[in-house]
Amino acid sequence: MELLSIDFLGQPLRLEGSMAGWQQVFWSNTLVAQQAASADHQDHYVHEFQLNQGESILTCRLEATVTWQPFLIEYRAMVDGQLIAEGSRNTKDIEQQVPHTPIKAERKFSLIGLVSLGMKALKSAKLIKVALASASIAAYSWLFSIEFALSLIACLVFHEYGHIRAMKYFGMKTKGIYLIPFLGGLALSDEKINTRWQDVVISIMGPFFGLILSLILMVVYWITGEMFFAGLAVFNAFLNLFNLLPILPLDGGHVLKSISFSMNSKLGITLCALAAVGGVILSYQLGLALFGFLLIMGSLEIVFEWRARHHSHLLPLDKYGQLVSAAWYVGLVSSLIGIIWYFASSGDALLQLPMQILGT
């Protein structure tokens, strides 16, 4: 990830690095110094290199002291022993930076990713939004009813609006919400995230808004006694619970990956694996077989991507951020399951359906 970018002799000097100790220094996009990852690396780094300035050869030195949890980098840049730049950067600075080098997109095939790419390529955003929303209503009306279609669209929009609010909180420019028939919705932004915390908050705010909507619908059901609101509350809870499954590219997959990839040790991934095993055992004890099976698949995907974690451009979560993210995720999952369980205990066959699906 990009740790530092400053003006140095009229050209940008950029420092890239990872928690494993790997660092590279670029001057005007030319690699001038580097250090390999090491298990016994120190927090203080010294990069020495020479630059040609006309007929002169300048001896340059960049010193950097990096603390990862919480993140803080203090730096000093010198030329021929003379200090020309110094300062510090923290998490807030990383969140607001624009990466100098473009972030390479994942090469994995993803239908949602292809749709997202197609949306970004289209210029007539408002027209496309209306067209896709109309197509979604028509598709869901054909499968179910117009009432159900409109209710489903409302749930999807409320969920995606949670993502949009989180993006705006971090000062990101958004392109709005796109409804994709049979695939749900997408909240798009023109900007890239820079930290794991941004990834967690943006990902989890969709299901969090979904939980709020289900609670509102539950209260409306208690007041009116209309089964329509009860059905919508439990269906919306199930929809958002599905989004929290720890499988990429679902919201839960982003949260779990951000937490596990921020633990820069074998102990971290071991604890993550033990937590996943505990979740699987609890799922089967509660009769949530489907949830347990998908938890296994999501955990395997996290393990496979663990090896490449040091090449990520995202600033990892500190220990406090890891605990808050995990507690937020577990609390949200528990609350949504609680809503589904509450309505399943009513004895109504339709309201019991989501719980029966979880227990399949």
Side-chain angles (χ1 to χ4, degrees):
M1 62 167 293
E2 183 179 300
L3 302 177
L4 175 67
S5 181
I6 60 174
D7 182 74
F8 189 81
L9 301 178
Q11 298 291 339
L13 182 72
R14 192 171 77 255
L15 175 64
E16 307 244 350
S18 75
M19 292 179 67
W22 167 84
Q23 286 196 357
Q24 288 184 331
V25 179
F26 295 87
W27 184 72
S28 186
N29 284 335
T30 300
L31 179 65
V32 294
Q34 64 179 332
Q35 291 190 18
S38 172
D40 56 350
H41 67 87
Q42 303 297 318
D43 293 335
H44 185 71
Y45 300 86
V46 177
H47 299 279
E48 295 183 339
F49 51 96
Q50 293 182 329
L51 298 177
N52 295 324
Q53 288 286 81
E55 297 181 355
S56 303
I57 299 179
L58 304 178
T59 300
C60 306
R61 180 184 178 97
L62 175 64
E63 298 179 0
T65 301
V66 183
T67 303
W68 287 97
Q69 295 183 343
F71 177 79
L72 177 67
I73 177 172
E74 298 175 315
Y75 63 90
R76 300 175 68 214
M78 292 169 282
V79 176
D80 290 337
Q82 181 179 358
L83 181 67
I84 64 172
E86 66 177 338
S88 63
R89 305 185 78 216
N90 56 25
T91 302
K92 293 296 183 182
D93 297 316
I94 297 295
E95 285 181 349
Q96 297 171 4
Q97 77 180 5
V98 177
H100 186 276
T101 53
I103 301 167
K104 295 182 179 180
E106 295 185 1
R107 296 179 179 273
K108 295 182 179 180
F109 174 80
S110 170
L111 181 57
I112 294 180
L114 291 176
V115 173
S116 177
L117 182 62
M119 292 301 97
K120 293 180 180 181
L122 294 172
K123 301 297 183 180
S124 304
K126 293 183 178 180
L127 178 61
I128 294 301
K129 289 179 185 178
V130 173
L132 288 175
S134 301
S136 296
I137 294 175
Y140 298 134
S141 298
W142 176 68
L143 285 178
F144 307 102
S145 66
I146 184 61
E147 293 82 4
F148 180 85
L150 293 175
S151 301
L152 176 59
I153 293 299
C155 292
L156 292 174
V157 169
F158 205 83
H159 173 101
E160 298 301 331
Y161 182 69
H163 295 311
I164 293 292
R165 289 303 306 168
M167 292 175 186
K168 291 184 176 180
Y169 172 79
F170 289 114
M172 301 171 62
K173 296 179 180 178
T174 61
K175 299 185 71 173
I177 299 171
Y178 292 83
L179 297 172
I180 314 299
F182 305 115
L183 292 179
L186 290 172
L188 299 181
S189 171
D190 286 326
E191 302 180 28
K192 299 292 184 179
I193 58 175
N194 297 316
T195 68
R196 295 285 185 192
W197 177 244
Q198 288 177 320
D199 195 20
V200 168
V201 174
I202 292 173
S203 298
I204 210 169
M205 282 302 287
F208 183 73
F209 267 53
L211 172 63
I212 293 175
L213 179 58
S214 282
L215 291 174
I216 293 174
L217 291 169
M218 190 181 338
V219 172
V220 174
Y221 163 68
W222 288 341
I223 295 174
T224 64
E226 292 290 336
M227 291 300 294
F228 173 80
F229 295 109
L232 194 56
V234 70
F235 175 80
N236 182 67
F238 179 78
L239 183 68
N240 284 275
L241 180 63
F242 179 82
N243 263 280
L244 285 172
L245 291 175
I247 303 171
L248 294 172
L250 297 180
D251 297 330
H254 284 279
V255 174
L256 183 60
K257 186 171 75 168
S258 290
I259 295 173
S260 60
F261 284 18
S262 296
M263 299 178 181
N264 188 39
S265 65
K266 292 182 179 179
L267 176 60
I269 193 63
T270 300
L271 291 176
C272 184
L274 290 176
V277 171
V280 172
I281 295 175
L282 181 62
S283 296
Y284 277 93
Q285 287 180 342
L286 295 176
L288 310 179
L290 178 60
F291 189 82
F293 173 75
L294 293 176
L295 182 61
I296 294 175
M297 301 306 295
S299 300
L300 290 176
E301 186 171 2
I302 294 296
V303 172
F304 291 148
E305 292 195 19
W306 170 257
R307 296 181 179 180
R309 70 195 184 282
H310 296 312
H311 300 287
S312 172
H313 71 281
L314 301 178
L315 177 67
L317 296 166
D318 57 23
K319 293 181 180 179
Y320 175 77
Q322 294 169 23
L323 292 174
V324 170
S325 300
W328 196 357
Y329 176 81
V330 172
L332 191 52
V333 169
S334 301
S335 299
L336 291 170
I337 291 179
I339 292 175
I340 295 173
W341 213 323
Y342 169 77
F343 284 107
S345 63
S346 67
D348 185 273
L350 183 61
L351 299 182
Q352 291 177 342
L353 183 58
M355 182 58 69
Q356 292 174 357
I357 295 175
L358 290 176
T360 300

